[in-house]
Amino acid sequence: MKSNFTFMRKTIVFLCMLFLGTAGAQDARPGQPIKGVIVKGGKNPGGNLLISAGGGRLFPGNTYGNENHIENGFNGNINLYVPVFKLNSSETNYVSLGLNGGAGLFGMKKEYNPEGPVYRIAGQSVPPSLKTEIDNGSRQNGFIGEVGPQANFSFSKFTLSPIVNLAYISSKESQFTAVQTSSVNGQTRSFETSKRVISKTDGLGVIPKLRLSYFPGRIGFFVEGSYLAGPNVKSSTTVFKPNGVPNSEGFYSIDQMMAGKYETVDTKNRFNALGMNVGIIFSILSKKEYSNREIADDPQSKSSSSCVCVSSPTASVQFPNVSGPSINPGGTLTIPYDPGNSTRFLRVEASPHPYNSLNTGIWASIITILTNGIPAAVSPAGNPYTHTNGQNSSGRLIPFSSLKLGVNTICINVKCPYSGTTCSIGCFTVIVEGATPQSSGNITVAPVCCTKFVVAPGNPHKEVLTGQVRFKMTGTVVNAKLKIVSAGGAVAYENFVQNGFTGCYTMPVDISVVSNTNLPVASSTVNGLPAYKYSVKFGCKELGPKLPAQVIPGIKIIE
């Protein structure tokens, strides 16, 4: 147990150093508003909806561990905190109450020292040996489901959370066996001298926890101590005893061993363990938190408090920046493949105030550019940004590397600061083309004589060689096909079919790999060579009598 607490103490010290180091490195909270924006209700994220995942060590109680032959192990779980009440005392220091629920798995190492004795038997040639066996794996595995109240006390970037959960705890059955093996009068005998069965356990318990979380932003870290108090665990111990008493020298006869009996004792003890976990925690803002964000009056804004979404806004998308073609909302821009695109930018221009609407609303508006539904990484000035140019468009650059291959959707949203109304200026379709795949091919062709079948009365299915050759294809072909030039210069193109056959051709034959546009593929091979030519030495003579040209009833030729 001393080593267990040493491990816990070192873990807590390490995490505290990590928290303090992170806090010192981040004086300003991530997501600091841009100029002219004020955020109200900017509470510590610890009071929001929280999702956490963690894991760590599990230390069974002395009695429970000894009686069930288990040692230290691990546990992991996921939890959800749903705030129900918030008792605010300030923007950053406050209290929230809610519900905690989650599920987890645990596993503790099994260790077994046989409880039964070792018996000496008369006539044994060597001392007996004792072998231990552990069934159902080397770990005591189980499942925990839990739910209960949680209180969060938030102080700046830290949140202290006492939790008391009602838990359902389940663990599998375990068996521990000791088998004695003795060599008596030249024969090997085995006796199961003891057996311990830990029953499958299902029941209710309680898990009090104390968690300390640190939030440098919406994603934080936590360290947590817990105590698991579960249901009673039932076990039975069966011990073998020989019949009668040993002789004066302490030996039993083989007959006494064969007539021995088993005695069973049932016990039960409560499941209990101490846990120490660390993990990561995610804070999710509620709609109310988002709605608390307000925009301050910008010095360049007009004094009118009205703000409406106007029609016919000015917007465009252009690639590459400045020199490339542009499209208006609803249009489609296709970007052909070019290795140099990786260093270029897609330019997005927008103005929420057209020329005929300068007297409506305010000049300053908040614009957000979305790429495939996610706020884009733009430069300069970040995203979203404040537009103060009135009727003049303001441009932002999206790195080409943030676009995906294929179809991309670029959308521009504008928020009127005073009314809070959010409108879509427009969406654009940007298609990014990929590189054209290169043609290649490495194939093997094997010649096979072509045949025809004659179906006639009294002699069905007679196979006759035609004198031509076909080829079986194997290998790999990409964006290419086979070109076959046969006797007389006849040219044919065959699509590559793995383990398939070409048509029948008259020898000699030249075979090569060409692209789908019939251009030669220089790096290709046929039977290991850039081009393959079969000599007339491989030939298939036409065999069998030729059938009469006239139609004879009952005779059919299938080519």
Side-chain angles (χ1 to χ4, degrees):
M1 290 299 290
K2 182 178 180 180
S3 61
N4 296 342
F5 287 108
T6 301
F7 168 81
M8 294 165 58
R9 178 170 55 83
K10 290 182 179 179
T11 301
I12 294 173
V13 171
F14 169 76
L15 288 168
C16 289
M17 293 177 64
L18 176 64
F19 286 168
L20 293 175
T22 308
Q26 300 192 30
D27 294 329
R29 196 174 71 173
Q32 185 68 25
I34 60 177
K35 180 183 70 174
V37 178
I38 299 174
V39 179
K40 291 186 177 181
K43 304 182 184 66
N44 182 306
N48 299 321
L49 182 71
L50 302 175
I51 299 176
S52 61
R57 299 285 288 171
L58 200 61
F59 309 96
N62 286 336
T63 302
Y64 171 69
N66 293 335
E67 290 292 329
N68 294 278
H69 304 293
I70 56 174
E71 295 187 350
N72 301 343
F74 69 92
N75 77 101
N77 55 47
I78 57 174
N79 284 87
L80 173 68
Y81 168 70
V82 181
V84 179
F85 303 104
K86 293 185 179 181
L87 309 175
N88 297 332
S89 56
S90 70
E91 289 294 319
T92 57
N93 301 330
Y94 63 100
V95 178
S96 66
L97 302 175
L99 293 176
N100 177 286
L105 301 173
F106 67 85
M108 292 177 282
K109 185 179 179 181
K110 296 178 182 178
E111 290 290 346
Y112 181 57
N113 294 320
E115 299 175 353
V118 179
Y119 300 105
R120 296 190 296 173
I121 306 174
Q124 66 184 22
S125 56
V126 294
S129 63
L130 192 65
K131 180 182 179 182
T132 61
E133 297 179 353
I134 301 176
D135 293 342
N136 296 333
S138 61
R139 288 188 178 274
Q140 178 66 57
N141 296 323
F143 165 81
I144 297 176
E146 54 184 311
V147 64
Q150 174 176 338
N152 283 0
F153 299 91
S154 299
F155 310 97
S156 183
K157 297 180 181 181
F158 291 90
T159 297
L160 184 65
S161 306
I163 307 167
V164 180
N165 281 347
L166 181 66
Y168 168 78
I169 301 175
S170 175
S171 62
K172 296 181 178 180
E173 179 185 277
S174 295
Q175 293 187 14
F176 305 87
T177 307
V179 178
Q180 173 182 328
T181 301
S182 299
S183 178
V184 181
N185 298 325
Q187 292 185 337
T188 300
R189 306 275 188 170
S190 295
F191 302 92
E192 188 178 274
T193 59
S194 70
K195 182 176 183 180
R196 184 70 178 269
V197 179
I198 314 297
S199 301
K200 183 179 184 298
T201 301
D202 292 285
L204 297 178
V206 63
I207 306 178
K209 303 180 182 182
L210 185 62
R211 171 181 293 188
L212 177 63
S213 305
Y214 171 70
F215 291 92
R218 291 299 168 192
I219 299 178
F221 311 93
F222 73 87
V223 58
E224 176 184 88
S226 62
Y227 179 74
L228 286 68
N232 285 329
V233 179
K234 298 180 181 179
S235 61
S236 63
T237 302
T238 302
V239 178
F240 173 79
K241 290 190 176 182
N243 184 31
V245 297
N247 60 21
S248 59
E249 297 179 354
F251 285 84
Y252 290 92
S253 68
I254 189 63
D255 292 334
Q256 286 179 291
M257 295 296 293
M258 299 301 293
K261 297 181 179 180
Y262 288 92
E263 295 181 357
T264 301
V265 177
D266 295 328
T267 58
K268 63 180 180 180
N269 53 81
R270 185 169 295 278
F271 178 98
N272 65 92
L274 181 67
M276 177 61 67
N277 283 10
V278 296
I280 190 169
I281 187 166
F282 302 88
S283 175
I284 301 175
L285 283 173
S286 65
K287 290 184 178 180
K288 183 177 180 181
E289 292 288 337
Y290 280 112
S291 65
N292 283 338
R293 294 172 179 249
E294 296 184 1
I295 311 300
D297 189 6
D298 190 278
Q300 302 183 51
S301 300
K302 290 188 177 182
S303 59
S304 171
S305 62
S306 63
C307 184
V308 295
C309 292
V310 296
S311 60
S312 304
T314 301
S316 66
V317 166
Q318 180 183 32
F319 185 87
N321 177 31
V322 181
S323 61
S326 65
I327 57 172
N328 294 322
T332 298
L333 177 66
T334 299
I335 303 177
Y337 173 75
D338 184 345
N341 285 342
S342 60
T343 60
R344 296 169 181 162
F345 294 87
L346 183 76
R347 182 179 183 85
V348 180
E349 291 195 357
S351 170
H353 309 291
Y355 291 94
N356 61 355
S357 302
L358 286 178
N359 295 323
T360 302
I362 62 174
W363 287 15
S365 298
I366 305 302
I367 292 180
T368 304
I369 300 175
L370 305 174
T371 300
N372 299 319
I374 300 174
V378 304
S379 60
N383 189 22
Y385 60 92
T386 304
H387 176 84
T388 58
N389 296 329
Q391 66 183 6
N392 299 317
S393 298
S394 57
R396 294 297 183 269
L397 303 179
I398 300 177
F400 177 82
S401 58
S402 64
L403 301 177
K404 67 180 182 179
L405 196 66
V407 179
N408 297 265
T409 301
I410 310 295
C411 291
I412 306 175
N413 289 350
V414 58
K415 180 179 180 180
C416 298
Y418 285 95
S419 67
T421 304
T422 299
C423 302
S424 174
I425 287 182
C427 291
F428 313 79
T429 299
V430 177
I431 300 175
V432 177
E433 295 184 341
T436 303
Q438 298 296 318
S439 300
S440 63
N442 292 284
I443 67 167
T444 300
V445 291
V448 180
C449 292
C450 293
T451 60
K452 65 181 179 180
F453 298 91
V454 178
V455 181
N459 188 18
H461 305 295
K462 181 179 180 181
E463 185 176 283
V464 179
L465 299 179
T466 65
Q468 291 185 318
V469 177
R470 62 176 179 166
F471 302 90
K472 184 176 182 180
M473 300 175 281
T474 57
T476 303
V477 169
V478 177
N479 196 30
K481 56 189 176 182
L482 304 187
K483 179 181 178 181
I484 301 178
V485 182
S486 59
V491 179
Y493 295 95
E494 295 268 4
N495 291 327
F496 176 80
V497 179
Q498 184 70 255
N499 295 318
F501 288 92
T502 68
C504 292
Y505 298 94
T506 301
M507 298 290 284
V509 173
D510 291 334
I511 302 176
S512 60
V513 178
V514 296
S515 69
N516 287 336
T517 57
N518 298 340
L519 296 176
V521 179
S523 61
S524 65
T525 62
V526 180
N527 288 13
L529 301 173
Y532 195 85
K533 182 176 181 179
Y534 286 101
S535 67
V536 294
K537 293 181 180 180
F538 183 88
C540 298
K541 295 182 180 179
E542 186 171 1
L543 303 178
K546 293 185 177 181
L547 297 174
Q550 68 270 24
V551 177
I552 302 176
I555 298 178
K556 182 179 181 182
I557 299 178
I558 301 176
E559 295 289 346

